[in-house]
Amino acid sequence: VVRAAAPAQKLENADELIDSVETFIFDCDGVIWKGDKLIDGVPETLDMLRSKGKRLVFVTNNSTKSRKQYGKKFETLGLSVSEEEIFASSFAAAAYLKSIDFPKDKKVYVIGEDGILKELELAGFQYLGGPADGDKKIELKPGFLMEHDENVGAVVVGFDRYFNYYKVQYGTLCIRENPGCLFIATNRDAVTHLTDAQEWAGGGSMVGAICGSTQREPLVVGKPSTFMMDYLANKFGILKSQICMVGDRLDTDILFGQNGGCKTLLVLSGVTSLQMLQSPNNSIQPDFYTNKISDFVTLKAA
Ligand code: PLP
Ligand code: CA
């Protein structure tokens, strides 16, 4: 018997929610910004939460940038957020490899953008692939055999605007020819919002190509997997019941919070509308929903 989740409640008393937790984990796109545009009222809201002594953490599934690059983005938007408060899925891939003591003499093959390379480098891992393989072509002459580095012990796949057949074949060879090779996905978002004119194929499309050719499932380190939640809880020594996860997406953010045993708040400032939340086809119900995070400042108890 599948029991329907209790429907999300409209947030009425923000202070009550704020007082009930010590940490807020904020998703980025759709909550803090939309593309390169800051969402209304965010600076005041973060300032208010900090003045109340709340710990703020920012988690994004977008692996194209490193923590340092996100630090610059926050700064450009006029927000004072330190690198240590930012957890991108690019960082999660490197943190995962560290957590399992991935050997430093092995290599990582990357299908993805610069953020993943930067984080692997900072963590001291050797890598190949990434944007450098973006213009590689395969010339299929009779008898052609593609070589690959047998020292690759992990393939990391994330969103990649320079994705091509060379990368698919290289990553596939690494995984198929070496049964011990790890297959790690930064995230599996089906779509993303590169422009607001339409939905664009997300990181899940690149991951799906490698699933298709290897017939293997990846280990996902981004939302909604529990890896980052466990990592954060451990790093900051926080109880998951003392966390509120705030996000705009049901199948990544809200599920991430629920998988971690946190309170969850859906904001309607991103990809999910009230209609989608309340659709009979949706089974993921956050504890609360509200329009945008600046409602924290304006919604007071009656
Ligand atoms: N992946 C890519 C490539 C994106 O462009 C985005 C959002 O812009 C995301 C993932 C989702 O990011 P977030 O987890 O911050 O919503
Ligand atoms: Ca989001």
Side-chain angles (χ1 to χ4, degrees):
V1 180
V2 179
R3 194 173 300 161
Q9 286 176 41
K10 188 174 191 329
L11 186 66
E12 305 278 2
N13 185 344
D15 285 342
E16 198 175 35
L17 174 62
I18 295 168
D19 291 344
S20 74
V21 293
E22 63 184 32
T23 299
F24 281 91
I25 301 182
F26 290 107
D27 162 46
C28 295
D29 198 81
V31 176
I32 305 297
W33 57 64
K34 254 190 153 168
D36 286 328
K37 208 170 156 282
L38 191 64
I39 290 175
D40 280 351
V42 166
E44 300 87 309
T45 310
L46 300 186
D47 286 350
M48 179 275 285
L49 292 173
R50 284 198 201 278
S51 75
K52 289 193 168 208
K54 303 297 166 183
R55 179 186 284 106
L56 308 184
V57 175
F58 301 84
V59 174
T60 176
N61 261 3
N62 188 338
S63 63
T64 60
K65 290 186 171 73
S66 64
R67 300 174 99 176
K68 198 181 173 106
Q69 291 169 317
Y70 277 114
K72 291 227 174 72
K73 175 162 183 169
F74 276 98
E75 197 183 313
T76 306
L77 292 171
L79 300 170
S80 55
V81 168
S82 83
E83 268 173 52
E84 282 68 40
E85 295 170 310
I86 304 166
F87 296 85
S89 60
S90 51
F91 172 79
Y96 175 74
L97 290 170
K98 239 182 178 169
S99 77
I100 59 163
D101 283 328
F102 183 76
K104 295 277 161 87
D105 59 349
K106 291 259 180 203
K107 293 177 193 163
V108 181
Y109 184 67
V110 179
I111 299 177
E113 300 196 14
D114 195 40
I116 300 173
L117 303 189
K118 288 228 158 63
E119 292 296 356
L120 289 175
E121 196 168 323
L122 268 176
F125 294 117
Q126 301 183 59
Y127 62 80
L128 54 146
D133 282 356
D135 51 13
K136 292 211 173 132
K137 292 198 171 55
I138 298 172
E139 247 186 87
L140 291 174
K141 293 186 197 121
F144 176 70
L145 179 130
M146 186 167 162
E147 304 282 351
H148 75 285
D149 188 329
E150 283 169 10
N151 219 12
V152 170
V155 174
V156 172
V157 186
F159 182 71
D160 187 348
R161 280 166 293 184
Y162 313 97
F163 190 66
N164 59 26
Y165 188 66
Y166 177 93
K167 296 183 186 183
V168 176
Q169 178 64 3
Y170 201 104
T172 302
L173 284 174
C174 294
I175 293 170
R176 210 176 49 207
E177 305 287 313
N178 172 4
C181 184
L182 304 170
F183 173 19
I184 297 166
T186 58
N187 66 306
R188 296 190 82 164
D189 295 39
V191 294
T192 170
H193 295 80
L194 300 180
T195 68
D196 54 13
Q198 65 180 182
E199 290 189 329
W200 296 83
S205 56
M206 291 84 198
V207 175
I210 306 302
C211 294
S213 59
T214 60
Q215 296 293 296
R216 289 247 316 253
E217 284 298 304
L219 189 137
V220 180
V221 291
K223 299 172 287 186
S225 114
T226 51
F227 173 72
M228 250 194 309
M229 189 64 82
D230 292 340
Y231 183 92
L232 291 169
N234 196 25
K235 180 179 173 71
F236 294 117
I238 37 181
L239 284 176
K240 293 171 185 168
S241 58
Q242 286 291 320
I243 299 174
C244 179
M245 172 68 208
V246 183
D248 70 319
R249 214 170 146 133
L250 296 162
D251 65 350
T252 53
D253 303 320
I254 300 306
L255 208 51
F256 176 64
Q258 289 178 344
N259 287 342
C262 310
K263 293 197 168 75
T264 53
L265 171 68
L266 177 79
V267 288
L268 303 173
S269 50
V271 300
T272 308
S273 64
L274 186 57
Q275 199 183 16
M276 285 156 75
L277 171 67
Q278 293 176 339
S279 155
N281 299 326
N282 168 43
S283 60
I284 303 171
Q285 293 290 327
D287 295 313
F288 300 102
Y289 72 90
T290 197
N291 287 325
K292 50 190 185 316
I293 63 167
S294 59
D295 295 344
F296 277 169
V297 178
T298 48
L299 282 179
K300 298 280 169 203

